[in-house]
Amino acid sequence: MLDPLPQGRWTRRAADHLLSRACFGGSPVQRDALFRLGRDSGVAAAVDSIVNQPADWSAFPPPVIRPQVETEDSFYYYRERHRDFTGWYLRQLTEGPPVAAKMFKFWVDHFPIDQGAIQPNDAVNPFFQRHFILLRDGAVGNFDPLLRGVTWSAGMIRMLDLQASSRGSVNENFSRELLELFTMGAHGSYMEQDVATLARVFTGRKIRGPYPYEVYLDETVYPSGSLAGQQRYVDPDEKTVLTVADRANPAIRRPGRLAALRKPADQRRNDPREQGDAALKIILEQPDTGLHLAWKLWRYFVSPNPPVEIAAELGRRWQFDHKWEVKPLLRELFSAGEFYDETVIGDQIKDPCDLLVSASRVLEAPVLPRATATLALAALGQNLFSPPTIAGWAEPEAEGNGWIGASALFNRLALSALWVWGDPRALQRGNLIPDAEFPLPLPDLDAIVPPEWRGPDNLPLLLRQMAGRLYPAHPLEDEEIRELIRYFTRVRLGISEEEFLRELLQALLTLPQFQLQ
């Protein structure tokens, strides 16, 4: 179980799979370099030299949120902010540290927020932007501070009505999703009483403006009456939630006690936060938390149905051996023989972000410009600002998935014309793409198709080499080669070599193999 891949099984196919699944794919030069590093060095390189190299996002400052001009139409103002943000996000996934970018995308789905719930009619307010930066900066760090940060994220506070939860008027939305989605899972070992108690723990979190806004803990006290001197919004009482292992005998579980907060006159600055942090510490000790998070991570990187024993072992290592550090866990995951099983390689459907980013990486072309990219994601059914539920975007096998249906599939295939020809008509409502984004960046044919592959007699070699670049896990079958040769032998008559190569590239991009990673 989770045994390292034997050195003899580190093949070009294994290296290609690691680059595709963990790094959004890459060029033939990148694939060859990763293979030549060998198994251990290759995995370490994929996880950004895993020891002392933090992810560097300094080249990707967030878009400046300028104030709306009084005479400016609101629709166009918010649309431009939406496009700025989407372009910024996709550029980070495409050009940023690959594995960190992949984990950034994982956390965006794990801790989703919705523009309508946060602030209707404002596509990218500061809450949204700061939430994404929090997830990006903690993507390959430690889950413990990342989770604590999410409990103080203005975006999540607004998303789950936490700002409306106060002593005597408790809202359980956040505490329920904290357990059910973010940590222990829907089948975790907790009870309704734990949900209610945690809702009392996370009372008093408020947001105040104006821009740029501030999240704070409201420590207002009752000025008079029977509750004079006591907290008004924060519930300070002692609480018991879940269970913890007894220090003297770990096999024995005892109630998880959260000490009462001191009276306001005696407490240190921000002291009430200690009860929330203490509750999170208890949650992070639960075996169900490791199991649920490892299960999700396995589904994201490996396969949709992880064996329970593998998820449990991976979760135990992440939780207790690595103390919630992400990088050493990824090193184990990407070194495991199960990650390279033939049933896994090339068997995952790309979601819309994966599709756009992988196209840029394998074609060595810039990411699509901001407006084009935003319209492309919308056409494919994955609007960054509107996840379908608080559980994030449904996977291909899950109920409610909207980005693998007939309409979205048609748009997926039509995108090939956008990549190859820069044709805005490839997108629904492509007329909304501003003229300033044209001509779109196109792939360099000389890089993709070296001169030695060209010529009428080299068509079989040309097809195999180009397909090998686009989807190395799925070589073209002999019958596919024959059909393509029959068709393109006729197509090449009367057109230039460049037109012919672009027609060929477009055809290969529309094959089902390109939808997989």
Side-chain angles (χ1 to χ4, degrees):
M1 184 189 306
L2 287 179
D3 292 326
L5 179 77
Q7 289 284 6
R9 285 185 56 201
W10 178 254
T11 60
R12 290 187 180 276
R13 183 169 174 81
D16 289 346
H17 173 63
L18 175 61
L19 192 64
S20 175
R21 193 63 64 84
C23 305
F24 299 103
S27 68
V29 171
Q30 292 169 323
R31 289 161 45 199
D32 185 64
L34 186 63
F35 167 69
R36 291 182 182 280
L37 283 172
R39 183 197 65 187
D40 296 340
S41 296
V43 169
V47 190
D48 300 326
S49 301
I50 212 150
V51 182
N52 293 316
Q53 186 174 335
D56 182 7
W57 299 102
S58 59
F60 307 97
V64 175
I65 301 179
R66 64 172 179 82
Q68 184 179 2
V69 178
E70 186 175 345
T71 58
E72 188 175 9
D73 184 270
S74 294
F75 171 80
Y76 292 103
Y77 170 71
Y78 291 126
R79 187 189 70 179
E80 292 307 298
R81 285 173 60 174
H82 190 153
R83 290 174 172 180
D84 285 342
F85 187 90
T86 302
W88 170 70
Y89 176 67
L90 285 175
R91 194 166 71 86
Q92 291 175 100
L93 297 190
T94 306
E95 302 171 11
V99 170
K102 193 81 173 183
M103 282 302 300
F104 175 23
K105 180 172 166 284
F106 173 81
W107 295 125
V108 165
D109 186 59
H110 188 71
F111 295 115
I113 58 176
D114 179 88
Q115 71 181 48
I118 294 173
Q119 186 167 323
N121 302 320
D122 190 347
V124 190
N125 55 55
F127 307 150
F128 214 103
Q129 189 161 284
R130 288 178 187 171
H131 185 75
F132 271 54
I133 291 174
L134 167 72
L135 302 182
R136 180 197 70 180
D137 292 350
V140 287
N142 189 291
F143 180 66
D144 183 347
L146 179 63
L147 180 63
R148 281 189 276 116
V150 167
T151 72
W152 288 98
S153 164
M156 189 58 72
I157 288 172
R158 291 287 286 266
M159 177 72 187
L160 292 175
D161 304 311
L162 198 51
Q163 83 282 1
S165 189
S166 299
R167 180 182 188 179
S169 180
V170 175
N171 187 300
E172 295 184 357
N173 285 354
F174 176 79
S175 61
R176 187 173 304 281
E177 307 307 354
L178 174 65
L179 292 176
E180 185 173 318
L181 296 177
F182 303 157
T183 57
M184 296 179 67
H187 304 292
S189 301
Y190 54 85
M191 298 181 293
E192 283 297 314
Q193 182 58 45
D194 295 311
V195 174
T197 301
L198 282 170
R200 292 170 52 216
V201 167
F202 291 101
T203 49
R205 282 161 162 77
K206 305 293 182 183
I207 302 170
R208 60 186 165 205
Y211 175 84
Y213 304 103
E214 176 190 2
V215 177
Y216 71 104
L217 195 72
D218 194 326
E219 300 179 63
T220 304
V221 297
Y222 287 99
S224 60
S226 61
L227 296 176
Q230 294 190 39
Q231 295 276 3
R232 182 167 186 167
Y233 297 106
V234 178
D235 186 324
D237 298 338
E238 177 180 311
K239 303 174 183 68
T240 300
V241 61
L242 301 169
T243 61
V244 296
D246 187 87
R247 290 185 178 181
N249 188 346
I252 298 176
R253 306 289 295 184
R254 56 182 176 80
R257 177 176 173 272
L258 303 175
L261 301 172
R262 290 186 290 276
K263 293 181 180 180
D266 300 328
Q267 57 189 28
R268 299 184 302 274
R269 184 180 180 185
N270 293 332
D271 191 53
R273 297 189 183 199
E274 293 180 358
Q275 199 174 66
D277 287 351
L280 294 180
K281 184 177 180 180
I282 292 172
I283 292 172
L284 290 174
E285 183 191 299
Q286 306 301 310
D288 284 339
T289 301
L291 172 64
H292 176 64
L293 291 171
W295 177 81
K296 283 199 69 174
L297 205 64
W298 188 274
R299 287 172 63 87
Y300 183 67
F301 280 114
V302 189
S303 62
N305 297 304
V308 173
E309 61 273 13
I310 285 183
E313 174 65 13
L314 192 66
R316 185 197 65 76
R317 295 187 189 185
W318 192 4
Q319 192 169 12
F320 300 111
D321 296 350
H322 304 312
K323 309 300 182 186
W324 293 114
E325 289 291 336
V326 172
K327 281 190 175 182
L329 179 83
L330 294 180
R331 177 170 51 187
E332 289 201 352
L333 179 61
F334 298 149
S335 297
E338 291 88 347
F339 179 77
Y340 301 93
D341 191 274
E342 275 298 321
T343 61
V344 170
I345 293 177
D347 196 43
Q348 186 184 73
I349 300 175
K350 296 173 184 173
D351 70 20
C353 281
D354 282 334
L355 186 65
L356 295 185
V357 174
S358 65
S360 293
R361 290 182 62 83
V362 301
L363 295 173
E364 297 182 81
V367 67
L368 293 173
R370 49 190 282 284
T372 308
T374 303
L375 287 168
L377 277 184
L380 296 175
Q382 194 174 37
N383 184 337
L384 284 180
F385 307 96
S386 299
T389 69
I390 185 57
W393 286 271
E395 297 169 347
E397 296 83 359
E399 182 179 352
N401 176 272
W403 46 262
I404 203 62
S407 175
L409 183 58
F410 175 80
N411 287 318
R412 280 173 169 253
L413 301 181
L415 278 177
S416 60
L418 193 68
W419 290 317
V420 175
W421 302 99
D423 185 355
R425 293 170 298 179
L427 288 176
Q428 294 176 358
R429 306 178 73 192
N431 60 307
L432 295 179
I433 300 175
D435 292 340
E437 293 197 353
F438 288 96
L440 292 176
L442 300 180
D444 182 358
L445 289 180
D446 289 335
I448 297 175
V449 190
E452 59 268 24
W453 295 355
R454 306 178 188 183
D457 298 330
N458 281 348
L459 189 51
L461 171 66
L462 180 61
L463 286 166
R464 293 188 188 278
Q465 293 288 353
M466 291 177 69
R469 180 191 189 98
L470 299 176
Y471 24 84
H474 296 284
L476 291 176
E477 300 288 343
D478 290 342
E479 181 56 34
E480 290 176 307
I481 291 285
R482 286 192 289 269
E483 285 294 326
L484 288 167
I485 289 174
R486 278 195 289 268
Y487 176 75
F488 280 101
T489 299
R490 297 191 300 271
V491 166
R492 73 185 314 155
L493 299 176
I495 63 175
S496 69
E497 181 180 71
E498 179 179 346
E499 290 176 312
F500 170 70
L501 293 174
R502 292 197 183 278
E503 290 277 5
L504 188 59
L505 179 59
Q506 181 178 359
L508 294 175
L509 287 170
T510 59
L511 292 181
Q513 291 93 316
F514 191 65
Q515 308 303 317
L516 302 173
Q517 62 185 1

